[in-house]
Amino acid sequence: MLAMTYRGPYRVRADQKAEPDIEHPNDAIVRVTRSAICGSDLHLYHGLIPDTRVGSTFGHEFTGVVEDVGTSVQNLKVGDHVLVPFNIACGSCYFCSKELYGNCHNSNPEATAVGAIFGYSHTAGGYDGGQAEYVRVPFADIGPLKIEDDVDEEDALMCTDALPTGYQAAEMGDIREGDTVVVFGAGPVGIFAARCAWLFGAGRVIVVDHVDYRLEFVRKYAPCETVNFKEVDDMVVHLKKITDWLGPDVCIDAVGAEAGGSALQRLTGVKLKLQAGAATAIFWAINSVRKGGNISIVGVYGPTFNAVPIGNAINKGLTLRMNQASVKRHLPRLMEHIQAGRLDPKAIITHRVPLEEVSDAYHMFSSKLDNCIKTVLIPPRGAF
């Protein structure tokens, strides 16, 4: 089969790999019809996530058709059209029983933190992802959701990670009626977080980024106010100034390890890798949010330490919440929003690229070329 393969930092290509097999009675084999490149895939692409091995196939956002099922699978049958959450969750461990599907213990038992994720290095279980013609889906009775006839496939594709992550970012902010919410990052997750903040009652939403076309896009899609951090002298002072010098009620970090805005953070977190990514957005969030405010973190950082101003968080009485999104928990509500027309996830897709051109697709997304917001990959047999 054709699959994206990792060859080292900034080097990916479409190559032939063996098709996956049923390895456990609870497995399914899915023929991929659509997959997407996620902003967190770029952390892998740039060599920032440990134990990303040559030959790995990325891709944790995908939809497809069930081609085969193991003998124990009861909820799926061959021919079902499904979306597959990026979390690989067993459904029965201590964490899954609390709907913390992103922390499943049985899918990634050697990790002390994250559960398993499709196509996201061996720190997340070492499972191949969906930027391929076929993918093995463990615990097939738990994760995959059949796509209803009245749901567009590309809307469903956005429900595998980007939309639920943005939605959970807003949820974890514990937004109250009329709150001012600041979202750091105008990538797909930040765009969805800004849009979903309104669903939780926000009275004002502000998005911070430095790429003009992304800021223009989120202004129209969310809609919201925007700030280009390159145009202000001090981001923290600016946010306090425009919020009556108290600070916003809620800050959301939807950037993660490769944030711009601080030369020191970029040097230590990205260039020298002395910490698990540039924590600029966390610094800005802690220092700008009002006393007693809330911070929600969904940006991806590596599994080592980051130097953050925790003392300021303590003295300000802040509440910090963070996790990988528990996609399965959010899907019923998100489907309601989509079917009711309150959310239009597929509208953020700007590029559709054949899987054969995956190398060019990564370069375009990474380099922010051609006003790229979200890229969808289409395998050779990508029709449903």
Side-chain angles (χ1 to χ4, degrees), residues 22-155:
I22 298 289
E23 298 180 14
H24 187 279
N26 289 335
D27 287 350
I29 303 299
V30 171
R31 175 175 61 82
V32 177
T33 53
R34 293 290 186 278
S35 62
I37 301 176
C38 179
S40 56
D41 286 329
L42 297 183
H43 304 325
L44 298 167
Y45 178 66
H46 297 155
L48 294 175
I49 303 299
D51 210 6
T52 302
R53 302 183 186 180
V54 170
S56 298
T57 294
F58 300 168
H60 53 269
E61 298 177 307
F62 60 92
T63 56
V65 178
V66 176
E67 290 282 300
D68 195 8
V69 295
T71 56
S72 297
V73 175
Q74 299 180 4
N75 295 338
L76 296 180
K77 64 181 186 300
V78 172
D80 283 343
H81 191 201
V82 296
L83 68 87
V84 182
F86 78 91
N87 322 113
I88 303 174
C90 72
S92 60
C93 70
Y94 175 87
F95 302 101
C96 286
S97 70
K98 296 182 178 296
E99 297 188 317
L100 295 170
Y101 300 108
N103 306 110
C104 176
H105 189 64
N106 288 331
S107 62
N108 193 17
E110 295 186 11
T112 59
V114 72
I117 299 172
F118 286 101
Y120 213 78
S121 88
H122 278 65
T123 62
Y127 298 85
D128 269 345
Q131 293 172 10
E133 291 188 86
Y134 297 91
V135 61
R136 180 176 75 92
V137 178
F139 304 108
D141 274 336
I142 306 303
L145 177 72
K146 297 177 187 177
I147 301 173
E148 300 293 338
D149 292 340
D150 61 343
V151 175
D152 186 277
E153 178 171 35
E154 291 186 342
D155 282 331

Side-chain angles (χ1 to χ4, degrees), residues 118-372:
F118 286 101
Y120 213 78
S121 88
H122 278 65
T123 62
Y127 298 85
D128 269 345
Q131 293 172 10
E133 291 188 86
Y134 297 91
V135 61
R136 180 176 75 92
V137 178
F139 304 108
D141 274 336
I142 306 303
L145 177 72
K146 297 177 187 177
I147 301 173
E148 300 293 338
D149 292 340
D150 61 343
V151 175
D152 186 277
E153 178 171 35
E154 291 186 342
D155 282 331
L157 177 62
M158 295 299 100
C159 288
T160 60
D161 176 11
L163 177 57
T165 298
Y167 184 85
Q168 183 167 310
E171 178 193 61
M172 290 191 302
D174 195 22
I175 298 167
R176 305 298 174 90
E177 193 74 25
D179 276 354
T180 294
V181 179
V182 171
V183 179
F184 295 104
V189 170
I191 292 168
F192 283 138
R195 181 67 186 88
C196 290
W198 297 112
L199 300 177
F200 286 91
R204 184 182 184 190
V205 179
I206 304 166
V207 176
V208 177
D209 203 291
H210 71 286
V211 180
D212 286 333
Y213 79 81
R214 301 207 313 183
L215 291 170
E216 180 182 359
F217 186 96
V218 74
R219 276 197 299 272
K220 295 176 181 177
Y221 182 84
C224 61
E225 302 170 50
T226 59
V227 177
N228 186 325
F229 66 72
K230 288 188 175 181
E231 297 177 356
V232 300
D233 293 331
D234 187 307
M235 193 68 247
V236 172
V237 171
H238 180 79
L239 289 176
K240 287 185 174 293
K241 182 179 180 180
I242 64 175
T243 54
D244 297 325
W245 295 104
L246 296 176
D249 302 288
V250 178
C251 285
I252 296 172
D253 172 4
V255 184
E258 296 186 74
S262 168
L264 179 61
Q265 286 281 344
R266 291 287 297 183
L267 176 64
T268 58
V270 178
K271 301 295 184 182
L272 300 179
K273 299 180 176 61
L274 297 177
Q275 57 172 330
T280 311
I282 300 178
F283 264 79
W284 285 347
I286 289 175
N287 291 331
S288 65
V289 75
R290 67 163 171 81
K291 287 178 281 189
N294 299 322
I295 293 175
S296 170
I297 304 172
V298 292
V300 173
Y301 295 87
T304 55
F305 84 97
N306 275 92
V308 298
I310 195 66
N312 289 358
I314 294 169
N315 291 327
K316 293 178 73 173
L318 305 183
T319 298
L320 279 68
R321 298 182 64 193
M322 61 211 82
N323 204 352
Q324 297 287 344
S326 292
V327 175
K328 181 180 174 67
R329 178 168 66 86
H330 298 302
L331 285 176
R333 185 65 174 143
L334 290 175
M335 286 300 169
E336 289 179 12
H337 284 311
I338 291 169
Q339 290 167 321
R342 290 186 288 268
L343 290 174
D344 181 14
K346 66 180 179 296
I348 77 162
I349 299 170
T350 54
H351 293 75
R352 295 163 179 86
V353 179
L355 179 60
E356 295 92 327
E357 299 173 18
V358 67
S359 179
D360 291 337
Y362 265 87
H363 174 65
M364 176 176 61
F365 190 30
S366 172
S367 301
K368 298 177 177 62
L369 303 177
D370 197 33
N371 292 351
C372 181

